[in-house]
Amino acid sequence: MAPTTDNAGYAGDPGKARASLEALRAEIAKAVVGQDPAVTGLVVALLCRGHVLLEGVPGVAKTLLVRALASALELDTKRVQFTPDLMPSDVTGSLVYDARTAEFSFQPGPVFTNLLLADEINRTPPKTQSSLLEAMEERQVTVDGTPRPLPDPFLVAATQNPVEYEGTYPLPEAQLDRFLLKLTVPLPSRQDEIDVLTRHAEGFNPRDLHAAGVRPVAGPDDLEAARAAVAKTAISPEITAYVVDICRATRESPSLTLGVSPRGATALLATSRAWAWLTGRDYVIPDDVKALALPTLRHRVQLRPEAEMEGVTADSVINAILAHVPVPR
């Protein structure tokens, strides 16, 4: 396999890379019980160079999930608690005056990492929220007119609390559309919760992942090899048309005021491709598209107020569309 452009000195084995990424679930399970869909979604986002919006009530291990993923991939991670008084420079970094040299030097912010956990992103004003836009889209931060590249890989995992909206600043549609996936992190099942409490009773410390046995099972080289293999995963014209038909159907739905944009269609094609490769195929089938449709599209549509009052959800609209759009044979 030819080396990728991002790391021209490395020509990895896609088979080994797939096995390493599959091992992530078992490794993260040493720290986080359940939540396999969220783990898979984060891996898909890394393969697609995308970002993730994690939605779940406090205490369902969103932070622990990102930290465990970083440990299992040998990646650097930082966490920023978004608050109403957080400034853009608190995220991106700023110029600091050095009295000894009488010069300004750049002090990098927490965004200069591989996995950035933006905790409760909707609690900070739009000005600070928008400070992430350039980082997410361009993989760089511009301070005082100088662009500074971010590390690769780079992923923003932003969290939201789905039940407490008082005093928050909902993300505008333009920024929501920048997230590749919106993953829901549900409360655990009864048995999973029993397992969590049993682990804590046996001395599990969520702040010490090394003691929990979490070890690196993959690294940046594996990600590069995986990304190169995903890029070669075949997509037939029929699958491309299927993705377009699903996205166009959202624009015609009577329950929605806003449907999926062409960027959303591109995102669904990319995530379906990554999922196909992760499951061991070098081509995309309709089931891959269906599997990734909800997390890829749910945050890119906007419900009509009357539909919302009737209990309609974005997920139910997308599921109805998947049931009615003809599936290619």
Side-chain angles (χ1 to χ4, degrees), residues 40-297:
T40 301
L42 285 165
V43 173
V44 166
L46 281 168
L47 292 177
C48 298
R49 291 184 170 87
H51 307 283
V52 172
L53 190 61
L54 294 169
E55 189 168 271
V57 298
V60 290
K62 298 187 292 294
T63 301
L64 182 60
L65 177 62
V66 174
R67 287 179 53 239
L69 178 68
S71 294
L73 283 173
E74 281 191 297
L75 298 177
D76 182 48
T77 182
K78 290 185 174 68
R79 176 179 176 270
V80 178
Q81 182 67 46
F82 279 67
T83 58
D85 59 348
L86 193 74
M87 299 296 291
S89 59
D90 295 329
V91 178
T92 61
S94 59
L95 294 176
V96 178
Y97 182 71
D98 188 340
R100 292 173 300 178
T101 62
E103 293 180 350
F104 285 93
S105 61
F106 179 66
Q107 182 67 37
V111 75
F112 286 85
T113 187
N114 296 123
L115 299 183
L116 176 68
L117 180 64
D119 217 356
E120 294 190 291
I121 191 173
N122 57 335
R123 293 208 171 276
T124 202
K127 182 178 181 180
T128 305
Q129 291 176 3
S130 65
S131 67
L132 280 176
L133 281 179
E134 183 188 14
M136 293 169 65
E137 195 69 18
E138 306 296 335
R139 311 287 166 149
Q140 66 179 26
V141 167
T142 302
V143 177
D144 196 34
T146 302
R148 293 173 170 85
L150 295 171
D152 184 44
F154 172 69
L155 178 143
V156 174
T159 71
Q160 283 191 152
N161 182 343
V163 296
E164 190 180 357
Y165 289 107
E166 186 176 349
T168 63
Y169 304 85
L171 294 174
E173 293 302 323
Q175 187 156 354
L176 281 173
D177 206 35
R178 294 302 198 282
F179 286 96
L180 181 72
L181 300 171
K182 180 180 178 181
L183 305 174
T184 56
V185 186
L187 290 166
S189 66
R190 180 176 181 273
Q191 186 55 53
D192 283 347
E193 196 163 1
I194 289 173
D195 292 344
V196 170
L197 268 63
T198 301
R199 290 187 182 191
H200 279 265
E202 293 173 349
F204 170 71
N205 181 0
R207 295 172 183 82
D208 189 354
L209 295 179
H210 185 78
V214 179
R215 300 289 185 270
V217 295
D221 286 349
D222 294 306
L223 277 177
E224 288 300 331
R227 286 170 172 177
V230 168
K232 295 179 180 178
T233 301
I235 303 172
S236 68
E238 292 78 14
I239 293 294
T240 302
Y242 182 51
V243 170
V244 168
D245 289 344
I246 290 171
C247 294
R248 292 182 68 86
T250 65
R251 301 168 204 163
E252 300 166 1
S253 171
S255 299
L256 301 176
T257 58
L258 180 69
V260 177
S261 69
R263 180 192 284 138
T266 302
L268 181 55
L269 200 65
T271 56
S272 302
R273 210 176 194 181
W275 176 245
W277 181 81
L278 278 172
T279 52
R281 276 178 283 102
D282 59 358
Y283 57 92
V284 180
I285 62 174
D287 283 350
D288 300 323
V289 178
K290 291 181 178 180
L292 272 296
L294 284 179
T296 308
L297 304 181

